[in-house]
Amino acid sequence: MAPIPKTMRGILIEKTGGVEVLQYRTNLPVPSLKEGEVLVKNDYVGINYIDTYFRTGLYPAPKPEILGREAEGTIVAVSDAGETHGFKPDDRAVWMSTAGYAEYTAVPADKAYAIPAGIQPGVAAAALLQGLTALTLIREAYAAQKGDWILVHAAAGGVGLWLCQLLRAVGARVIGTASTPDKIALARANGAEFVIDYSHEDVVARVSDITGGAGVVAVFDGVGKDTFEADLQLLARKGSLVSFGNASGPVPPFAIARLGAKNLKVLRPSLYNYIYTRDEAERYTAELFDLILKDAVEVRVHHVYPLADVATAHSDLEGRRTTGKLLLKT
């Protein structure tokens, strides 16, 4: 194995703001290991909408900061102390932690997972965070059942495509929302039985028409502010609104008594509280990899950007010009 260098390429932000705050650096220090960590030489880095929240300051975090919550690569060093779960140099691993927009990341071994043989390069990084998000949402946020009418907003987006595929696999009846003919076709191909063009159709009225006036039993909503009010209207009695993202901005405060009109439930889950323990994380990760290896789901990659082009990637993501996963190649 080649010696580990002292410096690396990476993306640093020193203040919050637009894509202009994403600084491509070639002289960042390679992180040193703490107890229970492994050093990963990243090959592919996943880009997620949550990265834009940390960049803009919607989610506060100390600065300077290297963004990036997931990546895959090769372990090049392992801490001499602490629990490292049997990892050793040369192991392929995918991880979810922080500081991924860089050539090297020091990762808590608890947050790293071995990549099974048969998973092609780039697939694990493209699948891990969004795939686990969708899988835990349909298992725990709302336990989807065969025959359930379920609405998925942004059905052609990263998590949206995963939700459509997984819900189809359990036999749910999926209504998606999307805004262009290409996105509508993609959502249908991935499991949405009906797709509503929210750019010119009344989503509440269309859901009512499709479901015979009953409404949907659950909404999976990664959009946030712009769709929240409609969600409350189109849910069936005893329905569940699973709000898991803020693409249009955070949902404003609302009077909780409004839920009593139909005995609705509103959840704001985070992936990390569903995979809080190592056992939970390994169980869901194993299920995800098994689905991929059996070709039960398609891992769709929209584009692979060079690390230096991260600003373009963020602009494409925020401009809703993407379908599927965005990756950086280090």
Side-chain angles (χ1 to χ4, degrees), residues 220-237:
F220 290 108
D221 187 346
V223 176
K225 175 174 64 69
D226 288 355
T227 49
F228 183 78
E229 288 297 328
D231 290 345
L232 296 179
Q233 295 178 55
L234 57 81
L235 276 165
R237 184 178 62 88

Side-chain angles (χ1 to χ4, degrees), residues 6-48:
K6 301 292 186 185
T7 60
M8 65 178 184
R9 294 177 296 116
I11 306 298
L12 188 72
I13 64 169
E14 295 179 302
K15 60 182 180 180
T16 58
V19 296
E20 72 280 354
V21 304
L22 296 162
Q23 303 174 50
Y24 176 68
R25 298 284 187 88
T26 59
N27 60 347
L28 296 173
V30 172
S32 56
L33 291 180
K34 298 175 183 176
E35 184 175 319
E37 290 186 336
V38 295
L39 185 64
V40 181
K41 187 179 188 301
N42 299 318
D43 294 320
Y44 293 91
V45 180
I47 298 175
N48 296 283

Side-chain angles (χ1 to χ4, degrees), residues 313-327:
H314 272 226
S315 294
D316 289 347
L317 183 63
E318 291 177 295
R320 299 191 181 185
R321 294 186 289 272
T322 68
T323 56
K325 186 70 174 186
L326 281 63
L327 297 175

